[in-house]
Amino acid sequence: MPGRAEGGAVECQLSRLAFLAAALAALPTPAFAHASDRGHVLLLPTGYYIAGGAFAVAVSFLVLALLPPAALDRFWRRRLPLFTFSDTPRIVVSLISFAGFALLIAAGLVGSRDPLSNPLPLVIWTLLWAGFTLLQGVLGDLWSWLNPWYGPWRVASRVFGFQAGEAQPSRLPSWLGYWPAFALFFAFAWFELIDPAPDDPARLAFAAGTYWLASLVAMLIVGYDAWSKRGEFLTVFFTMVAGFAPVERLDGRLSLCWPGAKLLAAAPLPPSGTAFLLLALSSVSFDGLSKTFLWLGLFGVNPLEYPGRTALVGIGSFGLVLTFVLLAAVFALAVFLGQRLAGDARSFAKAAGLLVWSIVPIALAYHIAHYLTVLLVDGQYALVALSDPFALGWNLFGTANRMVEAGVVAGAESAWWLWNLQAGGIIAGHVLAVLVAHGLAWRLHPQPSRAALSQLPLTLLMIAYTIFGLWLLATPTAG
């Protein structure tokens, strides 16, 4: 991601020790090809926040265990109808999106070599990956309109005589499940988090262009619907995130619902889909963990003499796999123990595939908290770069000469409100996850007592992950 030095200091007037820590944090560090989820060494009473977050998740479980299922069912079913619109403009919107993508690829190949001046890395890593994920989680499935494949696929299907309907027969074997999307998402996570230069414009342009072309060919061969739903990882990820959004569209009619309500009606995912969602959470978690003093110290790396990403490719690759394996193992254990407590003899895969939807609020909360500072600072760089995409002195949108206010994430006051936003988001995400998990558990166990018992191990996992997530935000990081 965009190369940034991540050693911002938190000014503090509490004591000389606090001042010394802040001064130490302000020392320059080597440029790092990925922006951190924060640039502060927090000197706030984070222990109280961590304890409070764990307590909030635990209390939410106890409250839900005592509430009658009928009351919550009525709560989840409420809808506020808005208006109806058709899919007719979807092709045009997608073609415009593709044209913008093609221009960005051209800018990556012939534009500025500086990742902070070239719009391609800023749009992909900041506006798309960091910002658009938030929009999907709030406004619903915008990606189905904006993705740069749908329009070109419709055009190519007509030109080459392919059947162009979205419901065309799938040529993707059903036994593959979501494994193609899982493999591509893992490659994407590796490129983002481990590759030495993911924000190099030319390198990124080649990777993104190749992926777009390969995906279009796959859609023409196996069918758009099949590849989009089980192979193209961005569409799979954004669709899953959109399931949390309080905006629902059914038969063309738009309506408002409670956040997470749509997840309760979701079908159980196969093991490959379960693995995909767990990878989405574990990759963001590892991104934060990989720069902590604790992680680097385990491998004998001095965090104050950060060696750069190139020296840590092996360690990073191992950590990315390890984080996923550990999360998957703990989640599987929580589901298994829950089935044992509830006396459930049904398929473990079905229970795990249903309950994994409760991971979506957590993954979204971690994503927002992790990339908040990236969005606030690099979003400004993106506005500047988009006005002059080829570094020719243009000012297309009147923002080419805009001053970037990096101070928005620096200083004691910024540290306070950033921490509260990030911590509040993580805690809220876990509380909503407990709420969704209970609704899903009632689908498996109509008897309230059994549903509550089945959720006890999963709730303990969520409490532990709340503590882990808040610790990641508070602990010092290098790079």
Side-chain angles (χ1 to χ4, degrees):
M1 293 190 55
R4 243 65 72 212
E6 304 176 15
V10 176
E11 300 172 358
C12 187
Q13 301 176 355
L14 297 177
S15 65
R16 292 182 179 180
L17 180 60
F19 177 80
L20 178 61
L24 182 62
L27 292 175
T29 59
F32 188 56
H34 174 63
S36 175
D37 53 319
R38 59 186 174 81
H40 303 88
V41 176
L42 287 173
L43 299 172
L44 300 171
T46 52
Y48 295 108
Y49 287 83
I50 293 174
F55 180 75
V57 177
V59 168
S60 65
F61 167 78
L62 294 175
V63 170
L64 289 169
L66 297 174
L67 284 177
L72 281 175
D73 186 62
R74 290 194 299 271
F75 170 83
W76 286 118
R77 289 180 182 275
R78 290 181 179 176
R79 298 291 188 273
L80 177 63
L82 297 178
F83 52 85
T84 302
F85 62 93
S86 71
D87 284 336
T88 304
R90 184 179 169 196
I91 298 177
V92 176
V93 173
S94 177
L95 288 172
I96 294 173
S97 176
F98 166 69
F101 173 76
L103 287 174
L104 287 173
I105 295 297
L109 293 173
V110 303
S112 171
R113 299 297 88 199
D114 180 7
L116 288 178
S117 300
N118 193 297
L120 178 64
L122 290 167
V123 168
I124 288 183
W125 297 127
T126 304
L127 299 187
L128 176 65
W129 188 238
F132 192 76
T133 301
L134 172 60
L135 292 180
Q136 281 283 113
V138 174
L139 300 178
D141 194 12
L142 301 176
W143 179 252
S144 63
W145 287 64
L146 291 174
N147 91 71
W149 285 284
Y150 180 71
W153 168 77
R154 291 296 294 264
V155 172
S157 296
R158 178 161 296 185
V159 170
F160 295 110
F162 289 98
Q163 185 177 349
E166 287 183 70
Q168 67 187 97
S170 172
R171 300 183 186 90
L172 189 66
S174 59
W175 57 265
L176 277 176
Y178 289 85
W179 290 122
F182 176 89
L184 290 170
F185 192 15
F186 184 87
F188 170 81
W190 190 95
F191 182 73
E192 177 201 2
L193 306 178
I194 313 300
D195 187 87
D199 60 345
D200 176 74
R203 186 184 181 89
L204 182 58
F206 177 78
T210 301
Y211 177 72
W212 180 90
L213 183 59
S215 294
L216 180 65
V217 171
M219 290 170 183
L220 291 171
I221 294 174
V222 304
Y224 177 86
D225 196 55
W227 189 252
S228 295
K229 290 183 176 180
R230 296 191 286 134
E232 202 287 289
F233 78 91
L234 282 175
T235 302
V236 174
F237 174 76
F238 285 140
T239 301
M240 290 180 173
V241 168
F244 174 79
V247 178
E248 182 179 51
R249 184 167 181 258
L250 189 61
D251 297 327
R253 175 172 290 278
L254 204 66
S255 60
L256 295 180
C257 60
W258 294 109
K262 293 179 293 184
L263 296 174
L264 297 182
L269 288 171
S272 55
T274 302
F276 183 92
L277 263 179
L278 292 172
L279 178 62
L281 177 57
S282 67
S283 61
V284 177
S285 300
F286 175 70
D287 190 16
L289 177 65
S290 64
K291 296 183 285 293
T292 63
F293 285 18
L294 174 63
W295 173 263
L296 295 172
L298 290 176
F299 299 94
V301 177
N302 184 352
L304 300 180
E305 297 178 357
Y306 190 78
R309 288 169 65 120
T310 303
L312 301 176
V313 169
I315 295 172
S317 301
F318 168 75
L320 184 62
V321 174
L322 178 65
T323 307
F324 167 73
V325 170
L326 288 178
L327 178 59
V330 174
F331 175 78
L333 179 62
V335 174
F336 175 77
L337 292 177
Q339 284 188 292
R340 287 284 185 172
L341 288 174
D344 186 8
R346 274 175 287 193
S347 166
F348 166 81
K350 179 181 178 181
L354 187 62
L355 293 173
V356 76
W357 285 113
S358 64
I359 294 293
V360 172
I362 300 176
L364 182 60
Y366 269 80
H367 197 97
I368 295 171
H370 184 71
Y371 293 115
L372 180 59
T373 56
V374 174
L375 194 57
L376 291 174
V377 177
D378 292 354
Q380 299 179 64
Y381 281 105
L383 290 177
V384 174
L386 285 171
S387 268
D388 188 13
F390 298 99
L392 297 175
W394 299 351
N395 193 5
L396 300 176
F397 306 109
T399 57
N401 299 318
R402 176 189 173 93
M403 296 296 295
V404 174
E405 298 291 340
V408 70
V409 296
E413 184 178 350
S414 294
W416 184 88
W417 69 261
L418 277 173
W419 163 259
N420 279 279
L421 282 176
Q422 293 170 316
I426 286 179
I427 294 170
H430 282 83
V431 170
L432 286 168
V434 171
L435 189 62
V436 170
H438 269 73
L440 294 169
W442 284 323
R443 287 176 56 182
L444 295 170
H445 311 285
Q447 188 175 345
S449 59
R450 289 193 174 188
L453 281 175
S454 73
Q455 288 309 289
L456 183 57
L458 192 58
T459 301
L460 293 176
L461 170 60
M462 291 179 180
I463 291 173
Y465 222 86
T466 302
I467 295 172
F468 173 67
L470 294 176
W471 173 82
L472 279 182
L473 289 179
T475 192
T477 59

